Coordinates of all heavy atoms in Angstrom, one line a residue:
E216 N 174.5 -145.3 55.4 CA 175.9 -145.7 55.7 C 176.3 -146.7 54.7 O 175.6 -147.7 54.5 CB 175.9 -146.3 57.2 CG 177.3 -146.6 57.7 CD 177.3 -147.1 59.0 OE1 176.2 -147.1 59.7 OE2 178.4 -147.6 59.4
P217 N 177.4 -146.6 54.0 CA 177.9 -147.6 53.2 C 178.3 -148.9 53.7 O 178.8 -148.8 55.0 CB 179.1 -147.0 52.4 CG 179.5 -145.9 53.4 CD 178.4 -145.3 54.0
R218 N 178.0 -150.0 53.2 CA 178.5 -151.3 53.7 C 180.0 -151.4 53.8 O 180.8 -150.9 52.9 CB 177.9 -152.4 53.0 CG 176.5 -152.4 52.8 CD 176.0 -153.6 52.0 NE 176.2 -154.9 52.7 CZ 176.0 -156.0 52.2 NH1 175.5 -156.2 51.0 NH2 176.2 -157.1 52.9
R219 N 180.4 -151.8 55.0 CA 181.9 -152.0 55.1 C 182.4 -153.0 54.1 O 181.8 -154.1 54.0 CB 182.1 -152.4 56.7 CG 181.7 -151.3 57.6 CD 181.9 -151.8 59.1 NE 181.0 -152.9 59.3 CZ 181.1 -153.6 60.4 NH1 182.0 -153.4 61.3 NH2 180.2 -154.7 60.5
R220 N 183.7 -152.8 53.6 CA 184.2 -153.6 52.9 C 185.3 -154.5 53.6 O 185.9 -154.1 54.6 CB 185.0 -152.9 51.6 CG 184.0 -152.2 50.8 CD 183.1 -153.0 50.2 NE 182.1 -152.3 49.4 CZ 181.1 -152.9 48.6 NH1 181.0 -154.2 48.6 NH2 180.1 -152.2 48.0
A221 N 185.6 -155.7 53.0 CA 186.6 -156.6 53.7 C 187.8 -155.9 53.7 O 188.3 -155.3 52.7 CB 186.7 -157.9 52.9
A222 N 188.7 -156.2 54.6 CA 190.0 -155.6 54.7 C 191.0 -156.0 53.6 O 191.9 -155.4 53.5 CB 190.6 -155.8 56.1
N223 N 190.7 -157.3 53.2 CA 191.6 -157.8 52.2 C 191.5 -157.2 50.8 O 192.2 -157.6 49.9 CB 191.5 -159.3 52.1 CG 190.2 -159.7 51.7 OD1 189.3 -158.9 51.4 ND2 189.8 -161.0 51.9
G224 N 190.5 -156.3 50.6 CA 190.3 -155.6 49.4 C 189.6 -156.4 48.4 O 189.6 -156.2 47.3
S225 N 189.0 -157.5 48.7 CA 188.3 -158.3 47.9 C 187.1 -157.7 47.2 O 186.4 -158.1 46.2 CB 187.8 -159.7 48.5 OG 186.9 -159.4 49.5
G226 N 186.5 -156.5 48.0 CA 185.3 -155.9 47.4 C 184.0 -156.5 48.0 O 182.9 -156.0 47.9
R227 N 184.3 -157.7 48.7 CA 183.0 -158.3 49.3 C 182.6 -157.7 50.7 O 183.5 -157.4 51.4 CB 183.1 -159.8 49.5 CG 183.3 -160.6 48.2 CD 183.6 -162.0 48.3 NE 184.9 -162.2 49.1 CZ 185.3 -163.3 49.4 NH1 184.7 -164.5 49.2 NH2 186.5 -163.5 50.0
A228 N 181.3 -157.5 50.9 CA 181.0 -156.9 52.3 C 181.3 -157.9 53.3 O 181.0 -159.1 53.3 CB 179.5 -156.5 52.2
T229 N 181.8 -157.3 54.5 CA 182.0 -158.2 55.6 C 180.8 -158.4 56.3 O 179.8 -157.5 56.3 CB 183.0 -157.4 56.7 OG1 182.4 -156.3 57.0 CG2 184.3 -157.0 56.0
P230 N 180.6 -159.6 57.0 CA 179.3 -159.9 57.6 C 179.1 -159.0 58.8 O 180.0 -158.5 59.5 CB 179.5 -161.4 57.9 CG 181.0 -161.6 58.0 CD 181.6 -160.7 57.0
R231 N 177.8 -158.8 59.0 CA 177.5 -158.0 60.3 C 177.7 -158.9 61.5 O 177.6 -160.2 61.4 CB 176.0 -157.5 60.2 CG 175.6 -156.6 59.0 CD 174.1 -156.2 59.2 NE 173.9 -155.2 58.0 CZ 174.1 -154.0 58.2 NH1 174.5 -153.5 59.4 NH2 173.7 -153.2 57.1
A232 N 177.9 -158.2 62.6 CA 178.2 -158.9 63.8 C 177.1 -159.8 64.4 O 177.2 -160.8 64.9 CB 178.7 -158.0 64.9
E233 N 175.9 -159.3 64.1 CA 174.7 -159.9 64.7 C 174.3 -161.1 63.8 O 173.3 -161.9 64.0 CB 173.6 -159.1 65.0 CG 172.9 -158.4 63.7 CD 173.8 -157.0 63.4 OE1 174.8 -156.8 63.9 OE2 173.2 -156.2 62.7
G234 N 174.8 -161.3 62.6 CA 174.4 -162.2 61.7 C 175.6 -162.8 61.0 O 175.5 -163.0 59.8
R235 N 176.7 -163.3 61.7 CA 177.9 -163.7 61.0 C 177.8 -165.0 60.5 O 177.1 -166.0 61.0 CB 179.1 -163.8 62.0 CG 179.5 -162.5 62.6 CD 180.9 -162.7 63.4 NE 180.6 -163.5 64.6 CZ 180.3 -162.9 65.7 NH1 180.2 -161.6 65.9 NH2 180.2 -163.8 66.8
S236 N 178.2 -165.3 59.2 CA 178.0 -166.5 58.6 C 179.2 -167.4 58.7 O 179.2 -168.6 58.4 CB 177.7 -166.3 57.0 OG 178.9 -165.6 56.3
R237 N 180.4 -166.9 59.0 CA 181.6 -167.7 59.4 C 181.9 -167.5 60.8 O 181.9 -166.3 61.3 CB 182.7 -167.0 58.5 CG 182.4 -167.2 57.0 CD 183.5 -166.7 56.1 NE 184.8 -167.1 56.5 CZ 185.9 -166.5 56.1 NH1 185.9 -165.5 55.4 NH2 187.1 -167.0 56.5

Side-chain angles (χ1 to χ4, degrees):
E216 183 180 356
R218 299 182 68 189
R219 295 173 297 170
R220 298 296 175 181
N223 61 9
S225 64
R227 293 176 298 177
T229 57
R231 294 181 180 274
E233 62 271 20
R235 291 190 298 267
S236 59
R237 296 173 55 191

